[in-house]
């Protein structure tokens, strides 16, 4: 026998858009939790842009150090919101890039080559 709260959750998930929203949220939460399972200091990083989050854009960046002076980065930005009256701010952006660090990876100064999709 299902409890009253479980019935409310199942009713919520029966709607197609709500189910998609649930799957996306579950995916991002799982990715966030699993990304910190095995971390090596200064070799891998998962970041977010707080200013982007303040504007309603979900975002994350995965970075990896490839050598003493080179690193690769993949920031992803997603904004799924509708504001009504056919006003929308929707986008999905990926910006893969390579950074050359002058002194060492994750140091102070770097040069960037980046693409945007």
């Amino acid at each position: 026998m299902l409890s009253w709260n479980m019935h409310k959750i199942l009713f919520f998930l029966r709607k197609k858009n709500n189910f998609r929203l649930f799957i996306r949220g579950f995916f991002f939460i799982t990715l966030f939790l699993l990304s910190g399972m095995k971390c090596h200091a200064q070799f891998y990083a998962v970041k977010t842009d707080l200013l982007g989050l303040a504007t309603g854009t979900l975002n994350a960046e995965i970075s990896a150090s490839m050598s003493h002076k080179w690193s690769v980065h993949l920031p992803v930005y997603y904004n799924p919101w509708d504001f009504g009256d056919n006003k929308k701010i929707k986008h999905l952006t990926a910006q893969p890039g390579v950074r050359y660090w002058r002194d060492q990876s994750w140091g102070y100064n770097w040069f960037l080559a980046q693409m945007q999709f």
Side-chain angles (χ1 to χ4, degrees):
M1 173 132 186
L2 296 173
S3 69
W4 175 251
N5 290 334
M6 185 58 90
H7 283 292
K8 288 168 50 175
I9 291 171
L10 291 176
F11 179 75
F12 177 77
L13 292 178
R14 281 187 195 140
K15 295 182 180 178
K16 190 175 185 180
N17 290 336
N18 292 341
F19 183 73
R20 287 182 182 167
L21 182 65
F22 172 77
I23 293 298
R24 287 179 188 154
F26 180 77
F27 174 76
F28 283 116
I29 290 171
T30 303
L31 180 66
F32 176 75
L33 292 176
L34 292 178
S35 66
M37 296 304 262
K38 182 179 178 185
C39 294
H40 298 282
Q42 303 302 314
F43 293 107
Y44 304 104
V46 177
K47 307 176 200 177
T48 188
D49 177 13
L50 292 178
L51 185 60
L53 287 174
T55 63
T57 302
L58 305 173
N59 60 71
E61 177 181 335
I62 299 172
S63 305
S65 179
M66 301 305 287
S67 70
H68 183 65
K69 292 192 173 203
W70 291 92
S71 62
V72 294
H73 304 268
L74 179 62
V76 177
Y77 301 93
Y78 178 61
N79 195 334
W81 312 118
D82 287 333
F83 295 106
D85 295 332
N86 204 20
K87 295 178 184 176
K88 300 176 184 178
I89 299 178
K90 290 187 174 189
H91 66 270
L92 174 62
T93 306
Q95 296 176 321
V98 177
R99 289 183 185 167
Y100 174 78
W101 301 83
R102 290 184 57 190
D103 297 325
Q104 61 182 356
S105 291
W106 314 105
Y108 295 106
N109 300 318
W110 46 270
F111 298 101
L112 173 68
Q114 190 170 29
M115 296 181 293
Q116 184 169 351
F117 297 104

